[in-house]
């Protein structure tokens, strides 16, 4: 199965046995045929910390802009990865064009120590959604670990009356957007 990963992680993943690996640095793309359509992944800027000096310690990550096309039909998705809603991230994603689906990693992981906040909470996800104007927001990565500091219902509360639809999915579920 093909796997797309940040260039920073390629060697470690190959050492673990991933052989169908394509690594991409920011602004690099890879496309795959999917039936009669095409799925293109473009790596975009990501900051795992609000402190740029901490990013190398946590690993340079990617967000991914994903274009799914079949003939004249197209959907765009931005999967944030472990980034915060920094202004340069917002500008890099906004430059890609209109967005259909925003998939933010949530949970507001962080400490009062040197690493600080290292994943978005509801406030940042709402800020990102306002800036990028997606049709749908599908939060992920929000209930997988006990170290998360913020429950997903905080995003539900903050999204009431928002311009976007909020779709919560449980583990193992599927959403179908046409």
């Amino acid at each position: 199965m093909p796997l797309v990963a940040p260039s920073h992680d390629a060697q470690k993943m190959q050492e673990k046995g991933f052989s169908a690996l394509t690594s991409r640095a920011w602004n690099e793309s890879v496309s795959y045929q999917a039936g009669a359509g095409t799925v293109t992944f473009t790596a975009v800027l990501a900051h795992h910390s609000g402190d740029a000096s901490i990013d190398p310690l946590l690993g340079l990550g990617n967000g991914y802009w994903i274009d799914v096309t079949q003939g004249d039909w197209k959907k765009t998705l931005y999967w944030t990865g472990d980034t915060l809603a920094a202004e340069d991230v917002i500008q890099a994603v906004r430059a890609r064009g209109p967005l259909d689906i925003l998939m933010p990693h949530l949970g507001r992981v962080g400490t009062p120590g040197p690493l600080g906040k290292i994943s978005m909470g509801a406030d940042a996800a709402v800020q990102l959604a306002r800036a990028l104007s997606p049709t749908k927001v599908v939060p992920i990565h929000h209930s997988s670990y006990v170290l998360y500091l913020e429950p997903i219902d905080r995003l539900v509360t903050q999204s009431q009356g928002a311009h976007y639809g909020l779709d919560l999915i449980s583990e193992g579920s599927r959403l179908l957007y046409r």
Side-chain angles (χ1 to χ4, degrees):
M1 176 175 198
L3 179 66
V4 179
S7 296
H8 175 81
D9 294 328
Q11 183 177 347
K12 288 183 257 177
M13 294 180 78
Q14 287 168 335
E15 289 169 0
K16 293 182 186 246
F18 291 96
S19 58
L21 178 68
T22 300
S23 62
R24 290 294 179 258
W26 297 334
N27 298 314
E28 293 181 340
S29 299
V30 61
S31 295
Y32 298 98
Q33 288 304 122
T38 303
V39 180
T40 301
F41 295 84
T42 302
V44 296
L45 176 69
H47 294 299
H48 206 334
S49 172
D51 179 350
S53 68
I54 300 293
D55 274 348
L57 174 66
L58 296 172
L60 293 176
N62 291 346
Y64 290 94
W65 181 272
I66 303 168
D67 290 299
V68 181
T69 59
Q70 183 172 347
D72 292 338
W73 181 89
K74 180 179 181 177
K75 284 283 183 199
T76 57
L77 183 143
Y78 169 46
W79 170 24
T80 67
D82 285 335
T83 192
L84 299 179
E87 188 57 34
D88 57 346
V89 170
I90 291 170
Q91 294 304 321
V93 174
R94 189 182 281 152
R96 307 243 13 119
L99 177 62
D100 294 311
I101 303 166
L102 169 64
M103 292 184 72
H105 281 204
L106 295 185
R108 202 179 66 74
V109 175
T111 67
L115 294 181
K117 184 168 56 171
I118 59 173
S119 97
M120 281 191 277
D123 293 346
V126 169
Q127 173 192 354
L128 200 57
R130 285 183 182 142
L132 301 176
S133 298
T135 304
K136 294 282 186 178
V137 173
V138 181
I140 59 173
H141 195 269
H142 53 76
S143 53
S144 308
Y145 303 101
V146 295
L147 53 92
Y148 289 157
L149 302 175
E150 184 177 277
I152 192 60
D153 47 335
R154 173 113 187 230
L155 179 63
V156 172
T157 300
Q158 290 191 22
S159 294
Q160 291 177 357
H163 72 277
Y164 53 85
L166 178 65
D167 287 335
L168 298 180
I169 57 173
S170 57
E171 195 170 318
S173 298
R174 295 181 190 188
L175 287 175
L176 180 61
Y177 293 118
R178 297 200 183 273

